[in-house]
Amino acid sequence: MTTVPHVSQIFIYPIKSLDGVGIQSAEVLRSGALKGDRQFALFDQAGQFVNGKRHAKIHALRAEFDLAANTVSFRNSDTESNGNISSSAFPLEPEQADLEAWLSEYFGFPVYLRQNLEMGFPDDTQSPGPTIVSLATLEAIATWYPALTPALTVEEVRARFRTNLEIADVPAFWEDWLFAQADQAVAFRIGSVRLLGVNPCQRCVVPTRNSKTGIADPGFQKIFVAKRQETLPAWAERSRFNHFYRLTVNTRLAEPAAGGTLSIGDPVLLE
């Protein structure tokens, strides 16, 4: 390759399952998680996540974050709803009664906001580092569904898979270099931060749905599995694919509690 892989986009998702925010740089916490990513999550009275896996209605909930002011406002994008349409800006902090009351009315049951400053609420608590995908991968997936209406765009693929770091100047599925056999990890460096690539992420029901409406696209997973198998690069460790509904790479810090900062433009180098 004549170009150097580099970070082209950084996204954090301040409240798990809600909209992301593009940022220029991100602090890596001692846990390996990005500061502010999935720092908050919504819970029901039973202590279960209120997320896209369990509540499709969450897809119609738009969240706009002001990171400088540490606030969030909400908007119901479901035009057929008779409930609240939008909210004022709420302080983004746990046990915020007004915020929880608005969300409880939206979902129709009590909802609570909780915070974890050390790791956030990642799906994979053993590998809570930033998730990684190539921009070319998102572009490739957008071509897999010519029959979808509306057409699947790169922005929509991005919204469905909700990855932290996008890597540019690499071919599609380049990120499959970043994992090896199940008992191994792949060391690499982004800027000054050393990470380990652990596994290709198993996906859930969320990517099969329109990110704005929550409506499932018939055959989405079946088409994805067939195309992922068909396009699996020669460099991918095939033993990690007990099925092909996998995309993006989970990571953790190579040096525990090392931390650091990741920025757009940082080179990505295999060690």
Side-chain angles (χ1 to χ4, degrees):
M1 296 176 62
T2 59
T3 57
V4 177
H6 65 274
V7 177
S8 59
Q9 299 263 25
I10 302 175
F11 294 96
I12 59 171
Y13 300 84
I15 300 179
K16 186 180 180 73
S17 297
L18 296 186
D19 292 319
V21 180
I23 56 178
Q24 293 294 307
S25 62
E27 178 183 344
V28 181
L29 300 175
R30 291 167 59 87
S31 64
L34 299 186
K35 183 177 181 179
D37 185 49
R38 281 86 169 179
Q39 179 178 326
F40 294 90
L42 305 178
F43 291 86
D44 62 17
Q45 284 184 306
Q48 298 294 314
F49 283 122
V50 177
N51 58 18
K53 297 176 186 178
R54 303 179 69 238
H55 300 280
K57 190 175 181 180
I58 205 167
H59 294 286
L61 183 61
R62 305 271 65 77
E64 183 174 343
F65 297 95
D66 185 331
L67 299 182
N70 199 38
T71 62
V72 60
S73 58
F74 300 108
R75 178 172 55 85
N76 180 0
S77 64
D78 183 357
T79 57
E80 297 181 359
S81 172
N82 294 319
N84 288 320
I85 301 302
S86 62
S87 77
S88 58
F90 297 113
L92 190 54
E93 55 190 36
E95 300 181 6
Q96 216 279 63
D98 291 342
L99 180 155
E100 292 176 338
W102 194 94
L103 290 172
S104 296
E105 182 174 350
Y106 174 79
F107 284 103
F109 56 83
V111 173
Y112 306 94
L113 184 72
R114 299 291 181 260
Q115 181 182 39
N116 185 322
L117 292 171
E118 296 180 359
M119 185 188 292
F121 296 94
D123 286 341
D124 187 344
T125 57
Q126 298 302 309
S127 301
T131 52
I132 297 177
V133 73
S134 305
L135 173 58
T137 297
L138 304 184
E139 293 171 339
I141 293 170
T143 70
W144 290 356
Y145 299 89
L148 280 189
T149 303
L152 193 65
T153 64
V154 172
E155 291 73 19
E156 174 64 8
V157 177
R158 179 180 289 127
R160 293 188 187 210
F161 287 95
R162 305 170 59 80
T163 311
N164 293 126
L165 305 181
E166 291 181 18
I167 310 303
D169 282 341
V170 293
F173 308 106
W174 176 89
E175 66 276 6
D176 287 349
W177 280 109
L178 302 181
F179 56 83
Q181 296 180 9
D183 59 347
Q184 300 174 345
V186 174
F188 62 101
R189 184 182 298 273
I190 301 180
S192 62
V193 179
R194 296 187 67 245
L195 294 163
L196 296 176
V198 181
N199 61 278
C201 182
Q202 175 172 286
R203 310 313 305 199
C204 65
V205 66
V206 170
T208 69
R209 302 181 185 144
N210 182 291
S211 68
K212 300 295 190 297
T213 67
I215 297 174
D217 291 315
F220 186 96
Q221 183 172 337
K222 182 178 180 180
I223 292 170
F224 185 97
V225 167
K227 295 296 290 185
R228 185 72 163 112
Q229 183 173 10
E230 176 188 323
T231 61
L232 191 72
W235 57 75
E237 176 53 58
R238 198 176 184 90
S239 66
R240 304 307 299 273
F241 291 87
N242 58 329
H243 60 77
F244 290 89
Y245 193 45
R246 294 181 178 273
L247 189 78
T248 76
V249 177
N250 292 344
T251 71
R252 59 174 179 260
L253 284 174
E255 300 164 349
T261 300
L262 303 176
S263 300
I264 289 178
D266 279 349
V268 184
L269 302 174
L270 294 173
E271 295 188 341

